[in-house]
Amino acid sequence: MFKRLSLAFVLLLAIPALADDYYLIEMNSPGQTFNGCSNFFWDADAIFYNLGADDQVVTLAGVSNGALPTYLLTSFHVAPGRAASLRQAIGIPWEPATAAPMWIIHATAPPSILVDSEMPLGVAVGGGSIVCRGPILFLQQNGKTQLPVFRALVPASQRQVIRGLSIGDVAGHINVAIYNAGSDIASATIEVHRACDGAITETRNVVIGPNIAEQFNGFGIPETSNACAPLDPSSGLSSLAYVIVTVDQPSLTFASILGSVSTTNNLPVSTIQVMPGIAQ
Protein backbone atom coordinates (compact mmCIF):
# COMPACT_ATOMS: atom_id res chain seq x y z
CA MET A 1 0.00 0.00 0.00
CA PHE A 2 2.80 2.42 0.94
CA LYS A 3 4.56 1.73 -2.38
CA ARG A 4 1.37 2.50 -4.33
CA LEU A 5 0.93 5.79 -2.46
CA SER A 6 4.56 6.74 -3.04
CA LEU A 7 4.23 6.00 -6.76
CA ALA A 8 1.06 8.10 -6.95
CA PHE A 9 2.84 10.97 -5.21
CA VAL A 10 5.76 10.80 -7.66
CA LEU A 11 3.34 10.83 -10.62
CA LEU A 12 1.58 13.89 -9.23
CA LEU A 13 4.90 15.68 -8.93
CA ALA A 14 5.65 14.82 -12.57
CA ILE A 15 2.46 16.50 -13.80
CA PRO A 16 3.22 20.11 -14.75
CA ALA A 17 1.34 22.85 -12.92
CA LEU A 18 -1.71 24.14 -14.74
CA ALA A 19 -1.17 27.38 -16.65
CA ASP A 20 -3.40 29.43 -18.93
CA ASP A 21 -2.26 30.94 -22.22
CA TYR A 22 -2.53 34.66 -22.94
CA TYR A 23 -1.69 36.51 -26.15
CA LEU A 24 -1.17 40.21 -25.45
CA ILE A 25 -0.66 43.25 -27.66
CA GLU A 26 2.48 45.30 -27.09
CA MET A 27 3.61 48.42 -28.91
CA ASN A 28 6.19 51.15 -28.82
CA SER A 29 5.49 53.61 -31.61
CA PRO A 30 5.23 57.41 -32.09
CA GLY A 31 1.96 58.75 -33.47
CA GLN A 32 0.70 61.97 -34.98
CA THR A 33 2.57 65.21 -34.26
CA PHE A 34 0.75 68.25 -32.88
CA ASN A 35 1.78 71.64 -31.51
CA GLY A 36 5.05 71.37 -33.42
CA CYS A 37 7.01 69.78 -30.57
CA SER A 38 4.69 67.03 -29.32
CA ASN A 39 3.34 63.76 -30.66
CA PHE A 40 1.14 60.95 -29.47
CA PHE A 41 2.99 57.87 -28.34
CA TRP A 42 1.28 54.49 -28.61
CA ASP A 43 2.36 52.29 -25.73
CA ALA A 44 0.86 49.26 -24.00
CA ASP A 45 1.08 47.33 -20.77
CA ALA A 46 -0.49 44.25 -19.21
CA ILE A 47 -1.51 43.98 -15.55
CA PHE A 48 -1.57 40.61 -13.75
CA TYR A 49 -3.82 40.33 -10.66
CA ASN A 50 -3.10 37.46 -8.27
CA LEU A 51 -6.38 36.58 -6.55
CA GLY A 52 -4.95 33.46 -4.93
CA ALA A 53 -3.37 32.89 -1.53
CA ASP A 54 0.06 31.87 -2.87
CA ASP A 55 2.87 33.53 -4.78
CA GLN A 56 2.48 32.87 -8.53
CA VAL A 57 4.80 33.04 -11.54
CA VAL A 58 4.02 34.60 -14.93
CA THR A 59 6.18 33.32 -17.79
CA LEU A 60 6.91 34.81 -21.21
CA ALA A 61 6.55 31.82 -23.53
CA GLY A 62 7.27 33.65 -26.77
CA VAL A 63 7.05 36.82 -28.81
CA SER A 64 6.28 37.74 -32.40
CA ASN A 65 8.47 39.76 -34.78
CA GLY A 66 11.78 38.30 -33.64
CA ALA A 67 13.32 36.73 -30.59
CA LEU A 68 13.09 37.99 -27.03
CA PRO A 69 16.12 40.14 -26.14
CA THR A 70 18.73 38.10 -24.29
CA TYR A 71 18.82 40.58 -21.40
CA LEU A 72 15.08 40.35 -20.77
CA LEU A 73 13.62 38.53 -17.78
CA THR A 74 11.32 35.78 -19.02
CA SER A 75 9.40 35.24 -15.78
CA PHE A 76 8.35 37.22 -12.73
CA HIS A 77 6.46 36.68 -9.50
CA VAL A 78 3.11 38.14 -8.44
CA ALA A 79 2.52 38.17 -4.70
CA PRO A 80 -0.87 37.02 -3.34
CA GLY A 81 -3.48 39.76 -3.32
CA ARG A 82 -1.26 42.01 -5.43
CA ALA A 83 -1.01 43.19 -9.03
CA ALA A 84 2.08 43.39 -11.24
CA SER A 85 2.76 45.37 -14.41
CA LEU A 86 4.42 43.50 -17.27
CA ARG A 87 6.50 46.52 -18.28
CA GLN A 88 7.57 47.22 -14.73
CA ALA A 89 8.44 43.59 -13.99
CA ILE A 90 10.59 42.85 -17.03
CA GLY A 91 12.06 46.28 -17.72
CA ILE A 92 11.17 49.47 -19.57
CA PRO A 93 11.48 49.90 -22.48
CA TRP A 94 11.92 46.73 -24.50
CA GLU A 95 10.97 45.38 -27.93
CA PRO A 96 11.68 42.27 -30.05
CA ALA A 97 14.99 41.96 -31.86
CA THR A 98 13.47 43.43 -35.04
CA ALA A 99 12.46 46.66 -33.25
CA ALA A 100 8.87 46.28 -34.49
CA PRO A 101 6.41 49.09 -33.61
CA MET A 102 3.82 46.47 -32.55
CA TRP A 103 4.14 42.83 -31.50
CA ILE A 104 2.36 39.99 -29.70
CA ILE A 105 3.49 38.47 -26.41
CA HIS A 106 2.61 34.89 -25.51
CA ALA A 107 2.47 34.61 -21.72
CA THR A 108 1.39 31.82 -19.40
CA ALA A 109 -0.03 32.24 -15.90
CA PRO A 110 -1.76 30.05 -13.29
CA PRO A 111 -5.60 30.10 -13.12
CA SER A 112 -5.58 32.34 -10.02
CA ILE A 113 -4.17 35.18 -12.15
CA LEU A 114 -6.49 37.63 -13.92
CA VAL A 115 -5.03 39.58 -16.85
CA ASP A 116 -5.85 43.06 -18.12
CA SER A 117 -4.29 44.79 -21.14
CA GLU A 118 -4.35 48.53 -21.76
CA MET A 119 -2.94 51.27 -23.94
CA PRO A 120 -2.31 54.59 -22.15
CA LEU A 121 -2.57 57.71 -24.30
CA GLY A 122 1.05 58.78 -24.12
CA VAL A 123 2.38 62.12 -25.27
CA ALA A 124 6.05 62.69 -26.10
CA VAL A 125 7.03 66.30 -25.51
CA GLY A 126 10.30 67.90 -26.53
CA GLY A 127 13.12 66.33 -28.47
CA GLY A 128 16.18 68.44 -27.87
CA SER A 129 16.01 70.41 -31.14
CA ILE A 130 16.60 74.17 -31.26
CA VAL A 131 12.86 74.74 -31.61
CA CYS A 132 11.61 72.16 -29.10
CA ARG A 133 14.43 72.40 -26.52
CA GLY A 134 14.58 70.02 -23.60
CA PRO A 135 14.41 66.26 -23.06
CA ILE A 136 11.57 64.07 -24.29
CA LEU A 137 8.95 63.71 -21.56
CA PHE A 138 6.43 60.86 -21.75
CA LEU A 139 3.11 61.90 -20.20
CA GLN A 140 0.45 59.23 -19.66
CA GLN A 141 -2.19 61.04 -17.65
CA ASN A 142 -4.62 61.39 -20.56
CA GLY A 143 -6.64 58.21 -20.10
CA LYS A 144 -6.29 54.78 -21.66
CA THR A 145 -7.87 52.40 -24.16
CA GLN A 146 -8.71 48.84 -23.18
CA LEU A 147 -6.91 46.24 -25.32
CA PRO A 148 -8.17 42.71 -26.00
CA VAL A 149 -6.70 39.74 -24.15
CA PHE A 150 -6.62 36.66 -26.39
CA ARG A 151 -6.76 33.19 -24.83
CA ALA A 152 -6.15 31.03 -27.91
CA LEU A 153 -5.11 31.22 -31.56
CA VAL A 154 -7.75 31.02 -34.29
CA PRO A 155 -7.30 27.98 -36.57
CA ALA A 156 -6.26 28.50 -40.19
CA SER A 157 -8.93 29.62 -42.70
CA GLN A 158 -11.54 30.32 -40.02
CA ARG A 159 -12.98 33.77 -40.56
CA GLN A 160 -12.69 36.34 -37.78
CA VAL A 161 -15.30 39.06 -37.34
CA ILE A 162 -14.21 42.37 -35.80
CA ARG A 163 -17.39 44.07 -34.68
CA GLY A 164 -18.55 47.39 -33.30
CA LEU A 165 -16.25 49.77 -35.21
CA SER A 166 -17.81 53.20 -34.79
CA ILE A 167 -16.75 56.66 -33.69
CA GLY A 168 -19.92 58.50 -34.64
CA ASP A 169 -19.56 61.51 -36.91
CA VAL A 170 -15.86 62.05 -36.20
CA ALA A 171 -13.68 61.77 -39.31
CA GLY A 172 -11.22 58.92 -39.07
CA HIS A 173 -9.97 55.61 -40.42
CA ILE A 174 -9.68 51.91 -39.57
CA ASN A 175 -6.43 49.99 -39.06
CA VAL A 176 -6.47 46.18 -39.12
CA ALA A 177 -3.74 44.11 -37.43
CA ILE A 178 -3.01 40.45 -38.11
CA TYR A 179 -0.72 38.14 -36.18
CA ASN A 180 0.44 35.18 -38.26
CA ALA A 181 1.27 32.58 -35.61
CA GLY A 182 2.11 29.94 -38.22
CA SER A 183 5.50 28.76 -39.45
CA ASP A 184 4.74 29.65 -43.10
CA ILE A 185 3.89 32.88 -44.92
CA ALA A 186 0.19 33.68 -44.49
CA SER A 187 -2.23 35.00 -47.09
CA ALA A 188 -5.14 36.99 -45.67
CA THR A 189 -8.24 38.76 -46.95
CA ILE A 190 -9.56 41.85 -45.15
CA GLU A 191 -13.14 42.99 -45.85
CA VAL A 192 -14.70 46.16 -44.45
CA HIS A 193 -18.49 45.90 -44.20
CA ARG A 194 -21.11 48.59 -43.73
CA ALA A 195 -23.23 47.35 -40.83
CA CYS A 196 -26.55 48.84 -41.95
CA ASP A 197 -26.79 46.60 -45.04
CA GLY A 198 -23.74 44.29 -44.85
CA ALA A 199 -22.23 45.68 -48.06
CA ILE A 200 -18.48 45.30 -48.57
CA THR A 201 -16.99 48.79 -48.94
CA GLU A 202 -13.33 47.80 -49.17
CA THR A 203 -11.30 44.61 -49.70
CA ARG A 204 -7.56 44.08 -49.37
CA ASN A 205 -5.46 40.95 -49.89
CA VAL A 206 -2.25 40.90 -47.84
CA VAL A 207 0.61 38.56 -46.93
CA ILE A 208 2.28 38.28 -43.51
CA GLY A 209 5.54 36.54 -42.67
CA PRO A 210 5.69 33.66 -40.16
CA ASN A 211 5.45 34.69 -36.50
CA ILE A 212 4.86 38.29 -37.54
CA ALA A 213 2.26 40.78 -36.28
CA GLU A 214 1.60 43.52 -38.84
CA GLN A 215 -0.84 46.40 -39.05
CA PHE A 216 -2.52 47.46 -42.30
CA ASN A 217 -3.58 51.09 -42.20
CA GLY A 218 -5.96 53.50 -43.83
CA PHE A 219 -9.23 51.64 -44.37
CA GLY A 220 -12.08 54.09 -44.86
CA ILE A 221 -15.05 54.29 -42.49
CA PRO A 222 -18.16 53.35 -44.51
CA GLU A 223 -20.65 56.11 -45.21
CA THR A 224 -24.15 55.17 -44.03
CA SER A 225 -26.31 58.30 -44.18
CA ASN A 226 -27.07 57.94 -47.89
CA ALA A 227 -26.43 54.23 -48.40
CA CYS A 228 -29.01 53.06 -45.88
CA ALA A 229 -31.50 55.95 -45.86
CA PRO A 230 -33.82 56.41 -44.15
CA LEU A 231 -31.63 55.67 -41.13
CA ASP A 232 -32.23 57.29 -37.75
CA PRO A 233 -28.98 59.10 -36.79
CA SER A 234 -29.46 57.88 -33.23
CA SER A 235 -29.63 54.26 -34.40
CA GLY A 236 -26.86 51.89 -33.34
CA LEU A 237 -26.29 51.18 -37.05
CA SER A 238 -25.34 54.79 -37.79
CA SER A 239 -21.63 55.08 -38.72
CA LEU A 240 -21.12 51.44 -37.72
CA ALA A 241 -18.74 49.09 -39.54
CA TYR A 242 -17.38 45.59 -39.06
CA VAL A 243 -14.43 43.79 -40.57
CA ILE A 244 -14.08 40.14 -41.61
CA VAL A 245 -10.55 38.71 -41.82
CA THR A 246 -9.65 35.26 -43.15
CA VAL A 247 -6.08 33.98 -42.71
CA ASP A 248 -4.73 30.68 -44.05
CA GLN A 249 -2.44 30.19 -41.01
CA PRO A 250 -3.22 30.10 -37.25
CA SER A 251 -3.67 33.74 -36.32
CA LEU A 252 -5.13 36.53 -34.23
CA THR A 253 -6.70 39.74 -35.53
CA PHE A 254 -7.84 43.05 -34.14
CA ALA A 255 -8.76 46.47 -35.48
CA SER A 256 -8.44 50.02 -34.22
CA ILE A 257 -10.62 52.87 -35.36
CA LEU A 258 -9.16 56.33 -34.84
CA GLY A 259 -10.81 59.73 -34.97
CA SER A 260 -9.12 62.90 -36.10
CA VAL A 261 -6.81 64.69 -33.68
CA SER A 262 -7.41 68.25 -32.53
CA THR A 263 -6.10 70.38 -29.70
CA THR A 264 -7.83 72.59 -27.15
CA ASN A 265 -5.66 74.68 -24.85
CA ASN A 266 -2.66 72.66 -26.05
CA LEU A 267 -4.15 69.40 -24.74
CA PRO A 268 -4.54 66.43 -27.10
CA VAL A 269 -7.99 65.09 -27.95
CA SER A 270 -8.38 61.74 -29.67
CA THR A 271 -10.99 59.06 -30.20
CA ILE A 272 -9.85 55.46 -30.50
CA GLN A 273 -11.36 51.99 -30.14
CA VAL A 274 -9.58 48.63 -30.34
CA MET A 275 -11.69 45.54 -31.01
CA PRO A 276 -10.64 41.85 -31.26
CA GLY A 277 -11.49 39.45 -34.05
CA ILE A 278 -13.95 36.74 -32.96
CA ALA A 279 -13.77 33.37 -34.71
CA GLN A 280 -16.96 32.45 -36.56
Side-chain angles (χ1 to χ4, degrees), residues 11-248:
L11 290 174
L12 284 174
L13 289 179
I15 298 174
L18 293 176
D20 295 329
D21 290 296
Y22 296 92
Y23 296 88
L24 306 167
I25 302 167
E26 262 289 353
M27 61 188 72
N28 186 355
S29 178
Q32 183 173 344
T33 299
F34 63 96
N35 289 349
C37 291
S38 305
N39 63 270
F40 287 116
F41 194 86
W42 304 119
D43 200 356
D45 197 4
I47 309 298
F48 296 81
Y49 299 88
N50 183 1
L51 303 184
D54 300 313
D55 187 86
Q56 300 292 355
V57 176
V58 176
T59 301
L60 299 188
V63 66
S64 72
N65 298 71
L68 287 167
T70 56
Y71 61 82
L72 197 70
L73 293 175
T74 56
S75 65
F76 58 92
H77 291 256
V78 187
R82 300 291 298 273
S85 155
L86 176 67
R87 279 291 184 91
Q88 192 69 34
I90 66 177
I92 304 172
W94 75 277
E95 57 194 12
T98 59
M102 180 195 69
W103 62 97
I104 299 294
I105 295 171
H106 177 197
T108 61
S112 64
I113 296 285
L114 295 182
V115 183
D116 178 50
S117 185
E118 58 190 42
M119 180 178 66
L121 177 56
V123 178
V125 182
S129 69
I130 296 176
V131 176
C132 297
R133 294 187 183 278
I136 297 177
L137 302 176
F138 293 99
L139 310 176
Q140 296 187 331
Q141 75 275 35
N142 298 295
K144 68 176 184 179
T145 295
Q146 202 75 14
L147 295 177
V149 174
F150 297 94
R151 299 299 303 276
L153 299 172
V154 175
S157 302
Q158 188 169 353
R159 71 176 190 167
Q160 299 170 62
V161 181
I162 308 173
R163 302 165 293 181
L165 299 173
S166 176
I167 48 175
D169 293 331
V170 178
H173 64 277
I174 299 170
N175 299 331
V176 177
I178 300 174
Y179 169 43
N180 172 17
S183 56
D184 296 319
I185 295 175
S187 297
T189 300
I190 303 170
E191 299 173 350
V192 179
H193 290 251
R194 191 168 51 215
C196 62
D197 61 358
I200 298 175
T201 60
E202 194 168 348
T203 301
R204 198 179 300 181
N205 297 313
V206 299
V207 294
I208 310 103
N211 193 37
I212 293 292
E214 186 172 352
Q215 181 167 271
F216 302 93
N217 301 332
F219 290 91
I221 298 174
E223 193 280 330
T224 60
S225 58
N226 295 321
C228 297
L231 185 65
D232 188 336
S234 65
S235 164
L237 293 176
S238 180
S239 304
L240 182 65
Y242 62 93
V243 170
I244 296 179
V245 182
T246 307
V247 189
D248 66 359

